């Protein structure tokens, strides 16, 4: 099969197309023909091994390969079609159109991927193309996890820092659908996008510092590495919740103290991506409570350009790579 591979860490140019062996499904596994994969910030970080949150470098380098990448095919989030299933698989059959997360196994930048039946995979929302569906699981699963942990109530004031990114854009939609008043913080070029997704208010971080506005919030959802922890905690209402999806080591250490010693709660957990959570997301998509936000779609041969687009940070939504055949229209 064809795959976008990389054999050394570096800039987008290390990505190239290669022929690699097609995997086969084991007893409890499914073989999926990938049709689209999101090119994510995480893929770019794994490719370059540059992390804004520095403590992640060592554990990830040990896991992914000290001198060169152990897993040559990137891609954590995808949509595709089941081609074959192992003898003990009961919940999927050949022909099923699916989407989901490959988790740390990666591999969605290849024409075929094998995943365990119990991975975070679900039937593709019928009202989405493969490209649109591939743009959902990263943002949807991570945002759902944090929004659920925040137990948002209707009318609460929610601040989303990094709101125009893959995770933030889904968090806006989820918080808005729960009846929250959402304030989004991101670069000014993303204002129209985040307002369209349900943000009531917008702060351009390149012009204004949200921590000096004098405003307070019930929930702060923060995806920006290196944001000012103490000042953000100071913006919480009594009983407020701060959720950080990209914590520095110092935030990890201080979070327990804040939760124990104050009336505020800090959550820094990484999202467990589950089948049940993806099923919830699918229901919300089919009920038109969540939409997919695709910025640009690139063919496999332009993976380098796709990663450049993610890294220039000018994108309005997800960058998607179509794998193999062209996409097909969604059902109405
Ligand atoms: N906790 C978890 O489970 C988990 C899971 C997946 C990923 N992550 C990590 O979380 C991070 C975000 O993921 P993502 O995929 O949503 O990234 P993303 O798509 O790049 O989104 C980040 C957003 O934050 C904006 N931003 C940058 N600096 C800002 C600032 N000072 N104030 C406000 N907004 C700012 C960026 O805008 P610009 O265009 O201006 O840069 C961008 O729109 C990544 O580093 C990723 O590795 C965590």
């Amino acid at each position: 099969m064809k795959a976008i591979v990389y054999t050394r860490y570096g800039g987008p140019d290390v990505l190239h197309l290669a022929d690699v062996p097609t995997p086969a499904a084991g007893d409890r596994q499914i073989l999926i023909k990938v049709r689209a994969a999101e090119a994510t910030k995480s893929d770019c970080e794994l490719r370059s091994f540059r992390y804004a949150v520095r403590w992640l470098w060592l554990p990830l380098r040990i896991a992914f390969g000290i001198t060169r990448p152990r897993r040559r095919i990137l891609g954590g989030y995808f949509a595709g079609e089941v081609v074959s299933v192992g003898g003990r698989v009961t919940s999927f059959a050949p022909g099923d159109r699916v989407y989901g997360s490959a988790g740390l196994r990666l591999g969605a930048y290849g024409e075929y991927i094998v995943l365990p039946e119990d991975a975070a995979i679900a039937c593709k929302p019928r009202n989405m193309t493969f490209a649109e569906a591939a743009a959902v699981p990263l943002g949807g699963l991570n945002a759902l996890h944090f929004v659920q942990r925040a137990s948002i109530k209707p009318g609460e004031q929610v601040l989303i820092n990094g709101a125009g990114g893959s995770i933030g854009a889904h968090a806006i939609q989820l918080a808005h659908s729960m009846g929250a008043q959402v304030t989004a913080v991101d670069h000014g070029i993303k204002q129209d996008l985040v307002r369209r997704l349900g943000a009531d208010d917008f702060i351009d971080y390149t012009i204004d510092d949200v921590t000096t506005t004098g405003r307070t919030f019930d929930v702060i959802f923060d995806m920006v590495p290196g944001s000012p922890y103490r000042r953000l905690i100071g913006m919480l209402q009594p009983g407020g919740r701060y959720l950080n999806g990209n914590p520095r080591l110092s935030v990890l250490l201080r979070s327990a103290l804040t939760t124990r010693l104050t009336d505020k709660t800090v959550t820094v957990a990484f999202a467990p991506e589950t089948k049940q959570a993806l099923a919830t997301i699918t229901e919300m998509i089919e009920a038109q409570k969540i939409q997919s936000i695709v910025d640009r779609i690139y063919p496999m041969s332009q993976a380098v350009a796709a990663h450049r687009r993610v890294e220039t940070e000018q994108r309005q939504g997800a960058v998607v790579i179509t794998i193999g055949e062209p996409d097909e229209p969604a059902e109405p």
Side-chain angles (χ1 to χ4, degrees):
M1 69 169 186
K2 289 252 178 294
I4 301 158
V5 302
Y6 74 133
T7 51
R8 62 190 168 86
Y9 299 116
D13 291 329
V14 299
L15 298 175
H16 58 276
L17 277 179
D19 287 309
V20 299
T22 304
D27 242 13
R28 292 183 187 276
Q29 293 179 321
I30 61 178
L31 176 67
I32 298 165
K33 182 175 188 178
V34 181
R35 302 290 298 273
E38 182 177 350
T40 66
K41 177 63 90 48
S42 300
D43 288 334
C44 294
E45 289 168 342
L46 280 172
R47 191 211 67 231
S48 62
F49 243 86
R50 290 219 182 125
Y51 285 90
V53 176
R54 295 210 188 115
W55 69 270
L56 281 171
W57 195 95
L58 187 60
L60 287 177
R61 193 76 175 210
I62 292 168
F64 284 92
I66 305 278
T67 55
R68 69 175 78 91
R70 205 171 284 139
R71 283 163 222 179
R72 294 193 303 151
I73 308 175
L74 290 167
Y77 302 90
F78 65 91
E81 188 175 340
V82 176
V83 176
S84 64
V85 301
R88 299 173 73 183
V89 169
T90 55
S91 50
F92 293 102
D96 287 349
R97 286 162 158 70
V98 295
Y99 76 137
S101 167
L104 295 178
R105 299 173 202 92
L106 306 175
Y109 284 7
E111 285 179 323
Y112 294 89
I113 187 171
V114 160
L115 291 171
E117 180 185 21
D118 61 3
I121 307 168
C123 284
K124 176 174 81 66
R126 57 180 195 294
N127 51 344
M128 282 189 177
T129 62
F130 284 112
E132 288 166 342
V136 171
L138 161 66
L141 287 168
N142 284 282
L144 181 68
H145 170 71
F146 282 100
V147 166
Q148 286 177 334
R149 294 283 297 260
S151 307
I152 294 171
K153 295 175 216 44
E156 283 196 316
Q157 293 288 334
V158 173
L159 177 78
I160 302 177
N161 200 25
S166 298
I167 300 173
H170 285 84
I172 296 174
Q173 300 185 70
L174 291 167
H176 176 71
S177 76
M178 294 163 119
Q181 284 288 309
V182 179
T183 299
V185 187
D186 210 302
H187 195 291
I189 59 168
K190 298 176 192 172
Q191 171 158 206
D192 289 347
L193 170 73
V194 300
R195 284 197 186 272
R196 202 158 24 92
L197 296 175
D200 301 282
D201 229 331
F202 179 80
I203 295 169
D204 180 345
Y205 79 86
T206 64
I207 298 174
D208 294 313
D209 177 353
V210 63
T211 63
T212 60
T213 56
R215 294 190 53 189
T216 57
F217 295 89
D218 301 293
V219 173
I220 298 177
F221 178 44
D222 189 7
M223 289 311 300
V224 177
S227 48
Y229 178 79
R230 193 172 52 79
R231 282 189 275 144
L232 287 168
I233 296 292
M235 293 171 68
L236 284 174
Q237 293 272 9
R241 290 88 78 200
Y242 172 77
L243 301 102
N244 188 318
N246 216 348
R248 280 175 297 162
L249 193 55
S250 63
V251 171
L252 273 181
L253 299 174
R254 291 157 81 186
S255 60
L257 285 179
T258 306
T259 303
R260 182 175 280 253
L261 301 177
T262 73
D263 61 353
K264 293 157 185 170
T265 308
V266 178
T267 300
V268 291
F270 289 87
E273 298 177 336
T274 65
K275 217 181 239 319
Q276 293 73 13
L278 194 58
T280 303
I281 302 275
T282 310
E283 276 172 29
M284 295 185 82
I285 291 170
E286 292 187 343
Q288 302 192 338
K289 288 185 181 161
I290 298 182
Q291 54 175 289
S292 169
I293 314 110
V294 176
D295 168 75
R296 284 191 192 170
I297 301 174
Y298 293 83
M300 276 177 107
S301 57
Q302 290 178 26
V304 172
H307 270 222
R308 284 215 179 96
R309 177 82 185 155
V310 176
E311 289 184 339
T312 54
E313 303 291 5
Q314 297 298 302
R315 68 199 158 107
Q316 307 271 323
V319 171
V320 174
I321 302 175
T322 49
I323 311 283
E325 296 165 36
D327 209 336
E328 55 189 48
E331 287 176 36

